C-alpha cells in the first residue's frame, strides 16, 4: 500500500506538470494571437487612413493646383503636399504631375469636339500621381498610390444655344447672346450653333453681333447622361410654380421622358431625356441639356442665364425667350460638379 501511495503522488505531480506546460503554452499562443490581431488592426487602420487621404486629395486637387498655379503654368518637377497629423485619420499625401516625353501630361479637349484627350499641350487639367502614407499612433504605415485625371461634368458649351437640328422661332421676340448677359465680361462664343448641315435656322431675334454657324461636332449627350446617372429623377412630368434648388446650392435635376415646366425658376443643370417645354414665366440659372426638342410657349418672361443644349430642335409655339451665355454660372457649375477620378490604384510593398 505504501508503494502504491507513492506512485499516485508521482502520477499527480506529472499531471500537474503537464497541465502547467499546457497552460503556459496556451498563454503563449494567446499572447501571439493578441499580437497578430493588434498588428492586423494597426495595419487596417493605416490602410483606411491612407485611403481617406486619397479621397481628400481627389476633392482638394483642383483648389491646390489653382492656388499653386499648376493648371495654367505647371512645372514638371512640382511637388505638392497635404497632411493631417493632429487627429485621426492620420495621413501624409504627396502630389506630382504625371509626365510624358519630358512634359506634363494633361487631359482636355484639344480639337473642339467636346471630348477629352490626353495631351502635352497644356489643354485641360494635368494628370496627377497621388501617394498617400497612412499611419497610426501605435506605429505602422501603409502607402497607397493612385493616378487621377480631371473629368468634366459636362463639356463647356460653345454657344448660347446649341441645337442638333432646326431653330423654328417664327419671328420670336427675344435675344440669344453669345457675348453674355449685358454688363458681364464673358468671352464671346457663338450665338447659335447647329449640328446638322441640313438644319433650317429661322430666327429673327436679337443675336447682338450675329454669329450663327454649323458645328460639325456632336455634343456628347450620352456621356453626360451616364455621368449623372445617379442623380435623383424628377417624379412628375409637369411642374408649375416650382423653385428648383437655390443660388447657394445649385443641383442636377433629371427627367427620363418629356417634361413641362410652367412659371418656375431653377439653379443648376436640368437634364431631360425627352422634350422640354417651358410655359409662362421661366427663369433658369445654369444649363439646360435636352435629348429632344426645346419648346417654349405662353406669355410671360422667359430667360436662361447659362446655355441651352438641345439635341433636337428649338421650337417656338408662341411667346419668346432670352438666352444669355453666362460664363460665371457655367464655370460655377463646372467647378462644383466636376471632379478628379481614379485611373489606377496600387499598394507598393513596404
Amino acid at each position: 500500500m505504501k508503494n502504491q501511495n507513492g506512485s499516485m503522488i508521482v502520477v499527480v505531480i506529472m499531471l500537474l506538470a503537464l497541465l502547467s506546460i499546457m497552460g503556459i503554452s496556451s498563454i503563449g499562443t494567446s499572447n501571439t494571437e493578441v499580437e497578430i490581431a493588434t498588428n492586423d488592426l494597426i495595419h487596417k487602420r493605416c490602410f483606411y487612413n491612407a485611403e481617406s487621404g486619397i479621397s481628400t486629395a481627389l476633392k482638394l486637387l483642383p483648389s491646390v493646383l489653382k492656388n499653386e498655379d499648376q493648371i495654367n503654368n505647371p512645372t514638371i518637377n512640382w511637388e505638392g503636399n497635404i497632411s493631417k497629423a493632429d487627429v485621426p485619420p492620420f495621413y501624409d499625401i504627396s502630389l506630382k504631375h504625371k509626365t510624358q516625353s519630358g512634359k506634363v501630361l494633361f487631359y482636355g479637349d484639344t480639337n473642339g469636339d467636346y471630348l477629352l484627350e490626353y495631351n502635352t499641350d497644356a489643354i485641360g487639367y494635368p494628370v496627377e500621381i497621388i501617394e498617400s502614407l497612412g499611419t497610426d499612433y501605435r506605429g505602422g504605415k501603409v502607402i497607397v498610390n493612385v493616378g487621377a485625371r480631371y473629368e468634366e461634368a459636362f463639356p463647356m458649351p460653345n454657344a448660347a444655344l446649341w441645337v442638333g437640328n432646326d431653330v423654328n422661332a417664327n419671328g420670336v421676340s427675344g435675344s440669344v447672346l453669345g457675348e453674355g448677359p449685358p454688363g458681364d465680361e464673358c468671352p464671346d462664343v457663338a450665338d447659335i450653333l447647329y449640328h446638322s448641315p441640313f438644319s433650317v435656322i429661322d430666327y429673327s431675334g436679337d443675336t447682338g453681333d450675329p454669329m450663327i454657324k454649323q458645328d460639325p461636332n456632336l455634343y456628347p449627350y450620352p456621356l453626360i447622361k451616364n455621368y449623372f446617372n445617379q442623380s435623383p429623377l424628377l417624379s412628375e412630368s409637369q411642374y408649375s410654380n416650382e423653385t428648383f434648388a437655390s443660388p447657394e446650392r445649385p443641383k442636377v435635376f433629371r427627367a427620363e421622358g418629356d417634361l413641362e415646366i410652367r412659371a418656375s425658376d431653377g439653379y443648376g443643370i436640368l437634364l431631360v431625356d425627352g422634350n422640354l417645354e417651358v410655359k409662362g414665366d421661366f427663369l433658369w440659372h445654369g444649363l439646360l441639356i435636352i435629348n429632344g426638342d426645346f419648346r417654349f410657349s405662353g406669355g410671360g418672361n422667359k430667360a436662361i442665364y447659362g446655355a441651352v443644349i438641345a439635341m433636337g430642335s428649338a421650337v417656338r409655339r408662341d411667346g419668346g425667350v432670352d438666352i444669355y451665355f453666362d460664363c460665371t454660372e457655367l464655370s460655377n457649375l463646372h467647378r462644383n460638379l466636376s471632379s478628379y477620378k481614379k485611373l489606377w490604384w496600387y499598394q507598393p510593398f513596404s
Side-chain angles (χ1 to χ4, degrees), residues 196-244:
S196 171
F198 306 105
S199 295
V200 176
I201 307 300
D202 172 21
Y203 185 78
S204 56
D206 179 17
T207 57
D209 182 11
M211 190 188 299
I212 302 174
K213 59 183 181 180
Q214 193 221 350
D215 185 356
N217 298 303
L218 184 65
Y219 200 78
Y221 177 84
L223 293 180
I224 300 167
K225 180 183 177 182
N226 183 63
Y227 192 95
F228 291 119
N229 63 359
Q230 300 299 321
S231 300
L233 283 169
L234 294 175
S235 57
E236 307 293 335
S237 60
Q238 294 181 331
Y239 288 86
S240 181
N241 296 303
E242 188 83 17
T243 296
F244 298 89

Side-chain angles (χ1 to χ4, degrees), residues 2 7 89 116-118 136 153 181 211 233 253 269-270 291 331:
K2 291 181 179 179
S7 64
L116 305 183
E117 304 90 17
Y118 291 107
D136 185 76
M211 190 188 299
L233 283 169
F253 301 92
I269 295 179
L270 180 57
N291 196 32
S331 296

Side-chain angles (χ1 to χ4, degrees), residues 160-161 169 172-182 191-192 203-208 294 296 302-305 308 319-325:
L161 172 62
V172 64
S173 60
S175 303
V176 178
L177 297 176
E179 61 265 33
D191 301 313
I192 299 174
Y203 185 78
S204 56
D206 179 17
T207 57
F294 175 47
F296 45 99
K302 304 177 184 67
I304 292 95
Y305 292 88
V308 176
V321 62
D322 294 324
I323 304 174
Y324 303 106
F325 181 83

Side-chain angles (χ1 to χ4, degrees), residues 28-45:
T29 302
S30 298
N31 289 336
T32 301
E33 290 178 351
V34 169
E35 288 181 9
I36 292 173
T38 301
N39 290 335
D40 182 62
L41 177 61
I42 292 173
H43 178 81
K44 286 179 178 179
R45 284 179 179 267

Side-chain angles (χ1 to χ4, degrees), residues 49-50 52-53 56 60 81-94 132-137:
N49 289 345
S52 179
T56 300
L60 296 181
N81 180 263
I82 302 171
S83 63
K84 188 169 181 284
D86 48 353
V87 293
F90 305 114
Y91 53 74
D92 189 67
I93 300 164
S94 63
S132 179
L133 170 64
T135 58
D136 185 76
Y137 67 91

Side-chain angles (χ1 to χ4, degrees), residues 10-289:
V10 172
V11 171
V12 170
I13 292 174
M14 292 180 65
L15 287 174
L16 289 173
L18 179 60
L19 290 174
S20 298
I21 293 170
M22 293 176 63
I24 294 171
S25 177
S26 298
I27 292 172
T29 302
S30 298
N31 289 336
T32 301
E33 290 178 351
V34 169
E35 288 181 9
I36 292 173
T38 301
N39 290 335
D40 182 62
L41 177 61
I42 292 173
H43 178 81
K44 286 179 178 179
R45 284 179 179 267
C46 292
F47 174 79
Y48 292 133
N49 289 345
E51 282 288 274
S52 179
I54 294 295
S55 298
T56 300
L58 292 173
K59 293 177 183 178
L60 296 181
L61 256 176
S63 59
V64 170
L65 294 174
K66 183 177 180 181
N67 291 340
E68 301 197 18
D69 197 22
Q70 290 298 309
I71 299 175
N72 297 321
N73 301 293
T75 51
I76 194 168
N77 295 320
W78 173 79
E79 292 186 4
N81 180 263
I82 302 171
S83 63
K84 188 169 181 284
D86 48 353
V87 293
F90 305 114
Y91 53 74
D92 189 67
I93 300 164
S94 63
L95 309 169
K96 63 180 180 179
H97 303 313
K98 183 172 176 57
T99 61
Q100 179 176 289
S101 303
K103 295 183 178 180
V104 176
L105 184 65
F106 281 75
Y107 189 63
D109 183 6
T110 60
N111 53 11
D113 64 353
Y114 303 107
L115 302 175
L116 305 183
E117 304 90 17
Y118 291 107
N119 67 90
T120 55
D121 299 321
I123 297 175
Y125 278 71
V127 180
E128 298 301 315
I129 299 174
I130 309 169
E131 187 171 272
S132 179
L133 170 64
T135 58
D136 185 76
Y137 67 91
R138 289 170 293 186
K141 66 177 182 179
V142 168
I143 297 174
V144 172
N145 188 290
V146 163
R149 72 184 185 193
Y150 191 71
E151 295 191 1
E152 299 177 343
F154 58 90
M156 191 64 76
N158 293 325
L161 172 62
W162 189 101
V163 293
N165 295 316
D166 305 329
V167 175
N168 299 318
N170 301 316
V172 64
S173 60
S175 303
V176 178
L177 297 176
E179 61 265 33
D184 270 21
E185 296 183 0
C186 289
D188 288 359
V189 299
D191 301 313
I192 299 174
L193 288 179
Y194 57 92
H195 175 65
S196 171
F198 306 105
S199 295
V200 176
I201 307 300
D202 172 21
Y203 185 78
S204 56
D206 179 17
T207 57
D209 182 11
M211 190 188 299
I212 302 174
K213 59 183 181 180
Q214 193 221 350
D215 185 356
N217 298 303
L218 184 65
Y219 200 78
Y221 177 84
L223 293 180
I224 300 167
K225 180 183 177 182
N226 183 63
Y227 192 95
F228 291 119
N229 63 359
Q230 300 299 321
S231 300
L233 283 169
L234 294 175
S235 57
E236 307 293 335
S237 60
Q238 294 181 331
Y239 288 86
S240 181
N241 296 303
E242 188 83 17
T243 296
F244 298 89
S246 66
E248 297 77 20
R249 300 189 66 182
K251 296 182 179 179
V252 177
F253 301 92
R254 196 161 57 96
E256 283 193 323
D258 293 347
L259 181 66
E260 179 184 301
I261 300 180
R262 180 192 300 269
S264 299
D265 62 323
Y267 304 84
I269 295 179
L270 180 57
L271 191 66
V272 182
D273 208 25
N275 301 315
L276 171 64
E277 181 158 357
V278 296
K279 297 181 177 182
D281 290 337
F282 179 80
L283 177 63
W284 193 271
H285 292 264
L287 186 61
L288 303 181
I289 306 178

